[in-house]
Amino acid sequence: MEVSKDQMSMLLENNLFESAQMLGCFLVSSPASNQEPNPYLKAEYLVLQGDAFYGGKEYRRALSAYKQALQNCKSIPRQGGNSTRTSLSATTRSPSPSSFSISTINENEVKFKVALCLSTLNEHRSALFEMESIPSKARTLRMNLTMGKLYRISRNNRSASTCYKECLRQCPYVLEAITALAELGVSSKEIILLFSQTPTKIGRFSSDYQDSQRWLNRYVEAQCCIASNDYKGGLDIFAEILSRFPNNVHILLEIAKIEAIIGRSDEAIMNFEKVRMIDPCVLTYMDEYAILLKSKPDHAKLNKLVHDMLSTDPARPETLVALSAHWERKDERRAFSYADKSLKIDDRHVTGHIMKGNLYMSLNRPEGAVAEFKIAQDLRADIRSYQGLVRAYLALSKSKEALFTAREAMKAMQQSAKALKLVGDVHAVNSSGREKARKFYESALRLEPGFLGAALALADLHVLEGRNKEAVSLLEKYLKNWADDSLHIKIAQVFAATNMLSDALSHYQAALRINPQNEAGKKGLERLEKQMKGMDPDAPEEEEENEPEDGEGDQEDPDLV
């Protein structure tokens, strides 16, 4: 034979895909592969060539090769005796002349490869159709996991649940399947019950088995808590698991993500920093970390994070969302472009949709924001998607929709102070609803006394109704325990509105000492200084229009462009 199949297999095993692609051209064009009595040989060579294309990320060419291989398989007469076919990837031996009448192609494996190509090309429906042609008993663990993901993309949650359950029957440690089932609403008891159906080499009553089963069961319970919006319960269980497995990057990331969602920014930042000390190249949830750093704002750390993420993998959606957060302060349209690119890579990336929704709001395009927050909510509802939807509906003067969404959040998150505040925010829009708003804000503060957002909202309500003393008293009570720039700014605004200018000045200065980049603080201080000089703070400045543009924004971080 002019070209050896063994040599092609060796190239593939060593990930030398470019050489394998070139050698594959010799294989499929060799006289032996094109002889009519041996159509299976051409099919085998096409599968090998397809593997070379797939490894080189040429998915269209791989898809074509795999489909041609399957077409060749159809012309192979079935063997009457033994219908078992061995996987091509499992054999490295060249077939002997006497074995030329027996195919070594596992057609189900080739169909799976076709599905993987289609899925990578975002042709999910066609990929699912290909997967469904594989008999259920012939599906491997990886096939079942892939099918679960494809069913979930197609919104067939029942079938997705069936596939994920089958994964856990085969292997209880498929943590992706556990998380997916929790998000699909399967109870922790039902998930744990699947583990007993898994064949195991370790005795079920051995200490090793029972120890591993204990933490795995708790992991299931944690994921089910998070999926049902019981964030406190989930955090408590994850903390327990972390004490058993110190410095576990996966658990630390899960904890940090939840803390970011529920507004425990300082704790989340601390855990994200701990993860980066253990594994500086990790990208999972690092876009959440970038958003937190932007809100602080800690520009030096944000710049370093984005630089590191670009060095690790510039094509990951997390990297692009982090870039979006980086540019938001300086160029919102550029930030929007990065958020949009992240979703072109992975249109199911929740943080990308939330980031894009918030940017739509910043660009005064609430209709687009509604669409993005709805997608985020469909993928994985959390308080941020509800908050975004309520803000967008209120910007569109759709009070009914805003109130319905806020109440939906309150039902979904019954012990959430943020959900209660959300309902209060909707009522506070109209003067007739302010009393209801006050009750919801006060309920939120009883549930979570340290919830600064509710305290600030209640203070605003006091000011609107002329209760300035109550507003200052409330905010000063929080200042005793929290050195927060937003608190100082809110008090300064109340003092400025009541003409207590020196008190307002001291609080604006205190806010800027805590956070020199606070735009509201800088603008408020500038306005106040004009008032103290007897000038009209709303009068336009003549020189401002003629000042040349400051190019610092683009020069600050040339490496991040």
Side-chain angles (χ1 to χ4, degrees), residues 30 35 49 51 58 77 98-99 103 126 137 144 194 237 359 377-378 412-413 421 450 474 484 500 531 544:
S30 66
Q35 289 175 13
Q49 190 179 44
D51 291 346
E58 295 192 46
S98 60
S99 67
S103 172
S126 299
K137 291 183 178 178
N144 278 313
L194 296 168
I237 297 172
L359 286 164
Q377 198 171 46
D378 286 342
M413 307 172 192
K421 177 191 174 285
L474 174 68
D484 188 273
M500 298 172 69
Q531 283 181 271
E544 214 171 52

Side-chain angles (χ1 to χ4, degrees), residues 270-333:
M270 183 181 69
N271 279 313
F272 278 127
E273 287 174 352
K274 189 172 183 179
V275 167
R276 277 177 50 81
M277 286 177 68
I278 299 167
D279 184 355
C281 297
V282 70
L283 293 178
T284 307
Y285 303 151
M286 284 299 125
D287 46 355
E288 300 275 7
Y289 181 34
I291 291 168
L292 288 174
L293 293 175
K294 178 207 71 174
S295 66
K296 269 304 175 184
D298 192 331
H299 301 305
K301 281 186 180 176
L302 179 57
N303 291 347
K304 176 71 166 64
L305 172 66
V306 174
H307 183 275
D308 291 347
M309 292 176 76
L310 282 167
S311 300
T312 303
D313 189 347
R316 276 278 289 266
E318 293 93 337
T319 302
L320 291 164
V321 173
L323 271 167
S324 179
H326 170 79
W327 282 105
E328 185 178 1
R329 181 177 59 91
K330 295 175 279 187
D331 187 341
E332 286 177 342
R333 294 192 179 278

